């Protein structure tokens, strides 16, 4: 069986998928938009003639019709959605796998994406399995009296547990992205806020349903990396810490494993908590018959209580952070390669005992942005782009090193991902600083001003950012 | 610029020599292409009292078993056609034909005015929209009823999924002509609109009258 | 000489008129006559008076002979041309010659809200042996004029019909009879407020129970426009008039599938006119009119004074009859006897009896009853019911049993129910804590008894959320069969809203036929609504054996009906059934597109009327869901048109008895049904992306000469004009329906 993979994404992930395909000896096709025609994933694939070409221009990365038309025309048999775009779109996965000319979707089955894509549903399923979730409702509430009772119980419960300044969040059930969320500290305020959110929800989403949950502050945001096959095999690649994401900013730094005592003195048994969330994650995965890569997102409060937040049914940007603390036969696994291989039907070929965890890794996201000015994106032309090669580092980038590159204005100005690893957190941090120091990015914008990146910001703030 | 600075004869003779616009037609998405016109065919643009009658069918693009029909937006003649692509699968954004559109008097005036009006250029390659406030004023008073002065928030620049306000920094005047379409990406440095200072309005009027008189 | 000249001119006019009727001067020996006429005219001053008189006399004789022959063989289309002739009498001629005095109301000549419709207060006079009696009437009708353009050929604008309604109400207030005169080729098909269709519907709704006698006479009865002022207690027709569901030209365009702007084949127009059964005789035979007023040969013109006398006699007689029938059978018999005594000759003269046209309250009730019965009985021959004698008996027996049951359940039990409730309210109203303790168990017991079966006790203690009410709705979700195709379609709004092509299985499956970007609704088959709107297995169809037939033997229609039956497995375009929406029992009447484009004929109308009756007996809300209707089925002629008043009457009586009537339009709803039993609902809604109107863009273009914007008939435009009360998303249909039933139905759901 020789599959041909259509890579339905751009930037560094398109390159990573492309390389993984090459490693696996699979043919592939990339798609691109006019704005990306100078990108590396396109440049590397323009040489073929006619239908043998490996790069095809489409109207948009989010138009399923163009992507499938190209897949059919180039006789692809599988689609890799990367992250973002179609990666968690169960409709796309459903269409890809159920159409007259079905293709393999490199990701979980569409049913699983659908089931876990709905946060409320995930919470309900988790609760059934005894997996802790943030205390609160697992379905929309429409009745004010019920709602107040729930709110009272949530507040009382926090007071009992001696939580400082108990509070709850009232959210529009149909909302998302932080819209329509209000915080309540005292039960006396609840009815007013409830009505306000209910009215908002009704106006904005046509559904007055409201969710109520405990408001957590000051917590760690952890991720558990799972890998499952179509044959019911499931392994994990440990945990990673992405707390910085939760402070309202884009992720810029991640580290694995999830807790490191040098970063912060924990009052609880860190490794034990990590073990628990891994166990819970595997339990849910087994229950829903999860069958590809996935990330289980957890919140761990100051007292060490974990709560399942959601499941990302896709490969994540930061997957390699986990891979760099994992060893199979002394080698770092390549999760993209594993994902593709398993999605195409392979068996895992190893088990959890074959995976060893060692040391610490850090991921640095290098972005053309101005940390001084609210992380405003910078656009212009990069004239020089070079980074050091170490045996303790890896770089994923779509920015070419051999020619000037215009940052396309249609997408985020992400430039590169850099991974560094070492035996300890201290060593990893030191190497990260060294790496940032050695990296060179030069360029200028239309006004002739030099490029602004977050290299300095990362170097200056690494300690602070890695204080979990 | 004064009236005598403008060499009307030169400008007009240029348009007389080639009174056409050459409009490239690009495929808007991928698909199997079937032309419905041939080189030299005359095509019609959108017509009807409510602009509800579509123009001449130019080509059909079949994608995912959906044969989609594309019609001409303007009148003219098929000047170039990529007949070699007939029946082939084409990519998105492929130029498949050129339409030769006979310029109307109004269009010629617009072109000439472009040389007289002060252009406001796109600061970045981005998508542009009029700012909410300006749009509201335009809707109320009409484009030429709105005057601009430095410091006014004139545009919203949509760049990297973020909206940035653009403040006007040119000479005061009215927006005489708009060259961009909302939501369509504009290259950096391309003119977005042409501004006419109040004291030059009469010059513009004279140019319009003159072109109208000399062009038939 | 002058006298001869006039005679000659008259002859010439008659020859021209003949030519007009025959559409061309080549019929019979018309050319020869014309030649002769020319000869006489050229030699007018050369001939002696006697010779001239003789020549003219023989010419007159020939013309008379020709006219007689023409009259004998008068075709339907020729009648149409007679009616359209500018020489024909108009309403103004009647007002001047039939009535003593009249005062035009609401405008005169071109200074008028709508010069095509005239309303006038008039007095009509009759003599008995010893006195002259003046009686007051309201005259309302169309004025075609004699060539004045502003009359618009009698094609009333919506506001003209609104004016008509206003003066009908005035007549009602004053208690005077109304004489309607119908001279219209059809209503002017514009949607501007109050809207062609909606206003006609309002007029019909009011006329159904207008508390004064109404006599309607038709000269030119163009479909919906005619019905707007035509719901008479007595319906008369001038012998040379026509009354039709559509103009013969319109029918020909549809039948021949003639493209816009192309010339209509003349013989097709002729055959269509014949097939549509449009003449007075046809209509009398079909029972859509009661009597014919004879006109002179080749139709009355504006100077046929004998004819006007006859009209006056007929109008008085008709009004007398309507009035007397409400009084007593004996009075009516006596009246008829008296007329019989006067004999045939008496027909041309007004009855020499004094009959007061004032009605007492009980007489008004009888008038309304008679009117109701009259329209209920119409077009009975236009459908077929495959019922054996037994089945018919059981149906009737079942109906009366049901009536008994529901009367008992609602009228007798309800009053008790209300009393019990009232007691509880009183008790707890002045309550103290003590009384509450007493009444609480009583409450519980009462709730238990009066609760409907299937209703579960209120949720208690479900504090941690239960996933909302809509969670487990259907065991198995019905998916449109349209979804079984791997292809994409383009949203019609793609250019404006940038909608992506939609994958058909998603579109017709999960998206319920709605574009995910712009919300455009793609049409779905009616079965989808049957399965998604109502509780599973709650649908019980009734009258499903009522079938559309071809009552006019319109050629080719039997075959088309057979095809439609095969395609749909149903005998007509109307489905009526009992159903339940979130626990509320309702009656539904549904017009669907697959059967002859949802057109309404006698079978559909009858089914609708019966649905109203069922809803009335069972005291349930009535929902008219219009999946699509193309209007009145033209192949049934005026048997179709008559469904407009017939069904509106049923609606009026249902609402009058306390019912809640909701109308929901989907896809395309046009013409007659919208202009009657649908448009008269106080609560009309539309599903998104549907179109509602009177006439389609082509008809508007052809009648008004103006193009209408593409969104002219859109639900949004209809909402702006106030025709509908809201636009519903298809996916919210069930919820909105339930909400409407609850809010509009109020505490008792649907019964006042």
């Amino acid at each position: 069986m020789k599959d041909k993979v259509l890579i339905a994404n751009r930037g560094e992930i398109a390159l990573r998928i492309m390389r993984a395909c090459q490693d696996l000896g699979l043919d592939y096709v990339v798609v691109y938009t006019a704005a990306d025609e100078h990108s590396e994933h396109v440049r590397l694939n323009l040489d073929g003639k006619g239908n043998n070409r490996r790069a095809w221009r489409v109207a948009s990365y989010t138009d399923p019709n163009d992507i499938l038309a190209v897949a059919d025309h180039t006789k692809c048999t599988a689609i890799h959605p990367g992250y973002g775009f179609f990666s968690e779109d169960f409709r796309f996965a459903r269409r890809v796998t159920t159409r007259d000319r079905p293709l393999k979707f490199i990701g979980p089955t569409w049913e699983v994406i659908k089931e876990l894509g709905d946060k409320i549903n995930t919470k309900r399923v988790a609760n059934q399995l005894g997996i802790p979730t943030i205390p609160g409702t697992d379905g929309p509430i429409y009745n004010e009296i019920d709602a107040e009772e729930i709110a009272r119980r949530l507040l009382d419960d926090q007071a009992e547990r001696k939580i400082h300044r108990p509070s709850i969040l009232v959210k529009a059930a149909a909302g998302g992205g932080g819209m329509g969320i209000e915080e309540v500290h005292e039960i006396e305020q609840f009815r007013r806020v409830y009505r306000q959110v209910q009215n908002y929800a009704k106006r904005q989403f046509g559904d007055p349903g409201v969710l109520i949950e405990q408001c957590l502050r000051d917590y760690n945001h952890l991720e558990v990396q799972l890998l499952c096959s179509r044959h019911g095999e499931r392994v994990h690649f440990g945990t990673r810490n992405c707390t910085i994401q939760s402070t309202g900013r884009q992720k810029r730094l991640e580290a694995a494993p999830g807790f490191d005592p040098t970063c912060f003195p924990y009052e609880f048994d860190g490794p034990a908590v990590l073990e628990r969330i891994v166990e819970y994650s595997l339990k849910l995965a087994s229950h829903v018959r999860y069958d590809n890569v996935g990330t289980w997102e957890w919140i761990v409060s100051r007292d060490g209580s974990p709560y399942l937040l959601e499941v990302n049914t896709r490969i994540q940007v930061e997957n390699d952070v986990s891979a760099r603390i994992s060893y199979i036969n002394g080698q770092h696994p390549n999760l993209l390669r594993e994902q593709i291989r398993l999605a195409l039907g392979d068996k895992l070929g190893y088990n959890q005992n074959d995976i060893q965890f060692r040391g610490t890794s850090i991921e640095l996201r290098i972005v053309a942005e101005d940390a001084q000015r609210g992380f405003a994106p910078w656009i212009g032309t990069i004239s020089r782009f070079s980074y050091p090669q170490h045996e303790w580092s890896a770089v994923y980038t779509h920015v070419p090193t051999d020619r000037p590159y215009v940052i396309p204005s249609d997408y985020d100005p992400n430039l590169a991902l850099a991974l560094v690893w070492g035996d300890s957190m201290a060593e990893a941090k030191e190497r990260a600083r060294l790496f940032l120091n050695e990296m060179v990015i030069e360029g200028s914008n239309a006004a002739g001003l030099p490029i602004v990146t977050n290299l300095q910001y990362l170097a200056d703030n690494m300690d602070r950012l890695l204080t979990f | 610029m004064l009236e005598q600075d403008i060499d009307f004869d030169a400008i007009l003779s240029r348009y007389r020599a080639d009174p056409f616009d050459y409009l490239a037609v690009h495929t808007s998405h991928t698909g199997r292409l079937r032309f419905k016109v041939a080189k030299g065919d005359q095509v019609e643009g959108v017509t009807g009292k409510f602009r509800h009658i579509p123009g001449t069918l130019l080509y059909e693009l079949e994608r995912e078993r959906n044969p989609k029909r594309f019609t001409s937006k303007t009148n003219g003649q098929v000047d170039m056609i990529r007949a070699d692509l007939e029946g082939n699968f084409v990519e998105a954004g492929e130029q498949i034909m050129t339409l030769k559109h006979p310029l109307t008097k109004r269009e010629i005036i617009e072109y000439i005015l472009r040389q007289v009006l002060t252009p406001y250029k796109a600061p970045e390659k981005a998508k542009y929209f009029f700012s909410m406030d300006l749009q509201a004023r335009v809707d109320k008073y009409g484009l030429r009823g709105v005057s601009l002065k430095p410091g006014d928030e004139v545009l919203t620049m949509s760049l990297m999924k973020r909206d940035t306000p653009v403040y006007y920094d040119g000479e005061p005047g009215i927006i005489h002509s708009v060259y961009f379409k909302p939501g369509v990406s504009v290259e950096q440095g391309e003119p977005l609109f042409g501004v006419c200072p109040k004291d030059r309005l009469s010059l513009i009027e004279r140019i319009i009258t003159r072109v109208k008189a000399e062009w038939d | 000489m002058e006298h001869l000249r006039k005679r000659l001119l008259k002859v010439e006019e008659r020859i021209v008129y003949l030519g007009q009727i025959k559409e061309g001067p080549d019929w019979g020996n018309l050319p020869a006559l014309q030649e002769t006429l020319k000869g006489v005219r050229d030699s007018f001053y050369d001939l002696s008076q006697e010779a001239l008189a003789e020549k003219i006399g023989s010419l007159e004789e020939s013309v008379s002979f020709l006219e007689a022959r023409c009259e004998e063989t008068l075709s339907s289309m020729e009648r149409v041309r007679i009616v359209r002739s500018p020489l024909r009498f108009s309403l103004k001629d009647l007002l001047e010659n039939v009535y003593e005095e009249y005062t035009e109301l609401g405008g005169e000549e071109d200074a008028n809200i709508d010069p095509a419709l005239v309303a006038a207060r008039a007095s009509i006079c009759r003599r008995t042996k010893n006195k002259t009696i003046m009686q007051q009437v309201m005259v309302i009708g169309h004025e075609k004029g004699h060539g004045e353009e502003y009359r618009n050929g009698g094609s009333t604008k919506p506001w003209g019909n609104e004016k008509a309604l206003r003066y009908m109400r005035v007549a009602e207030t004053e208690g005077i009879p109304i004489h309607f005169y119908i001279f219209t080729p059809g209503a002017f098909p514009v949607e501007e407020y109050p809207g062609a269709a909606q206003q006609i519907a309002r007029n019909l709704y009011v006329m159904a129970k207008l508390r004064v006698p109404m006599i309607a006479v038709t000269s030119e009865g163009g479909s919906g426009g005619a019905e707007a002022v035509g719901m008479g207690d007595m319906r008369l027709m001038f012998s040379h008039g026509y009354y039709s569901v559509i103009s013969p030209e319109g029918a020909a365009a549809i039948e021949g599938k003639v493209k816009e702007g192309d010339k209509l084949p003349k013989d097709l127009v002729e055959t269509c006119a014949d097939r549509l059964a449009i003449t007075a005789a046809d209509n009398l035979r079909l029972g859509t009119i009661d009597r014919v007023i004879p006109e002179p040969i080749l139709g009355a013109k504006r100077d046929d004074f004998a004819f006007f006398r006859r009209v006056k006699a007929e109008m008085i007689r008709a009004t007398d009859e309507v009035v007397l029938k409400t009084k007593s059978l004996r009075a009516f018999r006596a009246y008829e006897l008296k007329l019989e005594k006067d004999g045939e000759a008496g027909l041309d003269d007004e009855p020499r009896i004094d009959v007061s046209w004032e009605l007492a309250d009980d007489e008004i009730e009888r008038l309304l009853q008679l009117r109701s019965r009259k329209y209920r009985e119409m077009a009975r021959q236009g459908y077929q019911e495959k019922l054996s004698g037994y089945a018919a008996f059981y149906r009737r027996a079942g109906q009366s049993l049901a009536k008994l049951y529901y009367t008992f359940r609602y009228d007798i039990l309800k009053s008790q129910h209300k009393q019990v409730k009232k007691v509880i309210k009183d008790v707890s109203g002045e309550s103290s804590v003590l009384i509450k303790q007493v009444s609480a168990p009583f409450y519980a017991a009462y709730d238990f008894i009066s609760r409907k079966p299937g209703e579960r006790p209120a949720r208690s203690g479900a504090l941690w959320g239960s996933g909302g009410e809509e969670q487990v709705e259907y065991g198995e979700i019905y998916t449109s069969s349209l979804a079984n195709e791997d292809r994409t379609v383009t949203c019609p709004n793609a250019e404006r809203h940038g909608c992506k092509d939609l994958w058909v299985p998603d579109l017709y499956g999960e998206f319920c036929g709605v574009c995910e970007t712009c919300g455009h609704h793609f049409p779905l088959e009616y079965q989808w609504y049957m399965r998604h709107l109502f509780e599973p297995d709650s649908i019980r169809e009734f009258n499903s054996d009522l079938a559309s037939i071809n009552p006019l033997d319109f050629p080719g229609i039997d075959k088309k009906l057979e095809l439609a039956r095969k395609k749909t497995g149903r005998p007509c375009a109307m489905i009526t059934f009992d159903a339940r929406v979130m626990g509320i029992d309702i009656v539904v009447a549904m017009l669907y597109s697959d059967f002859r484009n949802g057109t309404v004929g006698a079978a559909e109308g009858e089914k609708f009327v019966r649905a109203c009756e069922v809803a009335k007996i069972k005291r349930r809300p009535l929902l008219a869901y219009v999946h699509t209707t193309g209007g009145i089925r033209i192949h049934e002629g005026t048997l179709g048109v008559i469904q407009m008043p017939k069904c509106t009457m049923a609606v009026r009586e249902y609402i009058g008895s306390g019912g809640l009537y909701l109308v929901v339009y989907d896809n395309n709803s046009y013409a007659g049904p919208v202009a009657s039993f649908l448009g008269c609902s106080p609560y009309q809604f539309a599903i998104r992306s549907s179109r509602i109107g009177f006439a389609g863009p082509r008809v508007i273009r052809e009648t008004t000469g103006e193009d209408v914007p593409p969104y002219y008939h859109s639900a949004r435009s209809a909402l702006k004009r106030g025709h509908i009360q809201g636009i519903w998303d298809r996916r919210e249909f069930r919820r909105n329906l339930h909400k409407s039933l609850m809010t509009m139905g109020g505490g008792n759901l649907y019964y006042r």
Side-chain angles (χ1 to χ4, degrees), chain B residues 43-106:
Chain B
V43 297
E44 276 303 320
V46 183
T47 52
K49 188 172 164 191
F50 307 96
R51 303 196 61 73
H52 60 290
I53 303 164
T56 311
L57 177 63
L58 293 179
Y59 63 98
E60 212 177 76
L61 206 50
E62 183 175 345
R63 181 183 65 172
E64 291 289 279
R65 297 183 193 155
N66 179 14
K68 211 189 291 189
R69 298 152 71 88
F70 291 85
T71 55
S72 180
K73 304 286 169 233
T74 173
N75 66 321
Q77 193 181 27
V78 180
D79 193 45
M80 179 283 278
I81 191 159
R82 288 280 308 277
D84 57 309
L85 293 176
E86 170 70 22
N88 284 5
F89 182 86
V90 293
E91 292 176 283
E94 192 78 52
Q95 182 177 348
I96 53 169
M97 57 173 99
T98 307
L99 296 179
K100 186 169 155 187
H101 162 67
L103 289 168
T104 62
K105 203 187 280 183
R106 251 187 66 199

Side-chain angles (χ1 to χ4, degrees), chain A residues 62-65 90-91 94-95 98-101 124 136-142 146 149-150 153-154 206, chain C residues 459 461-469 471 485-488 500-503 505-506 510-511 516 732 735:
Chain A
T62 55
D63 187 341
N65 304 304
F90 76 87
R91 290 190 192 97
R94 181 169 66 187
R95 177 168 170 192
T98 60
R99 61 208 290 270
D100 287 354
R101 183 181 173 275
R124 206 174 293 143
T137 54
D138 65 359
I141 301 290
Y142 294 91
D146 287 355
E149 183 54 33
I150 295 163
R153 264 164 71 174
L154 286 170
Chain C
R459 203 146 54 83
L463 284 179
W464 296 86
S466 64
E469 350 175 357
Q471 274 278 303
E485 231 181 322
D486 175 20
R487 64 185 179 94
T488 60
K500 284 187 186 121
D501 284 8
L502 294 144
W503 192 46
D506 277 345
E510 197 192 337
F511 300 161
E516 53 174 342
E732 303 278 301
R735 213 156 68 181

Side-chain angles (χ1 to χ4, degrees), chain A residues 140-148 169-175 179-182 184 189-212, chain C residues 459 469 735:
Chain A
I141 301 290
Y142 294 91
N143 175 317
E144 188 172 293
I145 299 169
D146 287 355
E148 196 178 36
L169 293 179
V170 185
K171 304 177 176 180
M179 303 243 291
I181 300 181
E182 294 291 332
V184 175
Q189 310 166 345
F190 177 75
R191 281 205 183 203
R192 185 182 56 77
V193 174
Y194 172 82
R195 282 192 193 151
Q196 178 191 336
V197 173
Q198 192 182 38
N199 287 338
Y200 176 83
K202 200 168 169 183
R203 231 177 25 246
Q204 287 292 312
F205 314 110
D207 176 7
V210 158
L211 299 177
I212 305 162
Chain C
R459 203 146 54 83
E469 350 175 357
R735 213 156 68 181

Side-chain angles (χ1 to χ4, degrees), chain C residues 441-496:
Chain C
F442 179 51
Y443 250 135
Y446 180 74
D447 278 353
F448 181 74
I449 293 165
S450 63
R451 188 186 303 136
K452 284 195 203 102
E455 204 179 57
R456 268 170 299 135
R459 203 146 54 83
S460 62
L463 284 179
W464 296 86
S466 64
E469 350 175 357
E470 290 270 334
Q471 274 278 303
V472 207
E473 282 273 283
Y474 309 100
E476 130 201 47
I477 291 170
Y478 168 84
T479 306
S480 170
S481 56
L482 294 167
N484 302 326
E485 231 181 322
D486 175 20
R487 64 185 179 94
T488 60
V489 290
T490 306
C491 175
N493 297 331
E495 225 159 282
R496 224 168 334 133

Side-chain angles (χ1 to χ4, degrees), chain A residues 231-277:
Chain A
H231 306 283
E233 301 154 298
R234 290 174 195 98
V235 295
H236 70 88
F237 287 92
T239 57
R240 52 181 177 252
N241 197 315
C242 309
T243 304
I244 186 126
Q245 168 193 20
S246 312
T247 57
R249 250 170 286 138
Q250 290 276 357
K251 295 185 194 182
R252 290 293 175 261
L253 268 180
E254 291 97 353
F259 288 124
D260 191 288
T262 66
C263 291
F264 198 83
Y266 304 105
E267 288 167 11
F268 52 86
D269 182 356
V273 171
L274 295 183
E275 214 165 286
R276 263 178 76 203
I277 64 173

Side-chain angles (χ1 to χ4, degrees), chain B residues 85-178:
Chain B
L85 293 176
E86 170 70 22
N88 284 5
F89 182 86
V90 293
E91 292 176 283
E94 192 78 52
Q95 182 177 348
I96 53 169
M97 57 173 99
T98 307
L99 296 179
K100 186 169 155 187
H101 162 67
L103 289 168
T104 62
K105 203 187 280 183
R106 251 187 66 199
E107 286 165 332
I108 288 170
I109 292 171
E110 258 321 309
Y111 277 120
I112 294 174
L113 285 184
R114 254 186 208 226
Q115 300 165 26
V116 183
L117 298 170
T118 317
Y120 189 81
K121 288 175 181 165
E124 300 286 0
K125 181 188 173 183
K127 292 167 185 162
Y128 291 89
F129 306 85
F130 275 126
S131 71
M132 299 263 276
D133 176 50
L134 188 75
Q135 189 65 53
R137 282 197 286 154
V138 168
D139 290 345
K140 199 166 168 192
Y141 305 109
L143 187 64
R144 285 166 203 180
V146 176
S147 57
L148 273 185
K149 55 184 187 314
D152 284 356
E153 183 186 333
V154 59
L155 293 163
T156 301
M157 173 170 73
S158 180
L159 181 69
M160 304 217 163
K161 299 192 259 177
R162 285 167 189 81
D163 286 348
T164 322
V166 176
Y167 299 97
Y168 185 67
D169 53 4
E171 54 184 341
I174 59 156
I175 300 180
H176 196 276
S177 308
V178 178

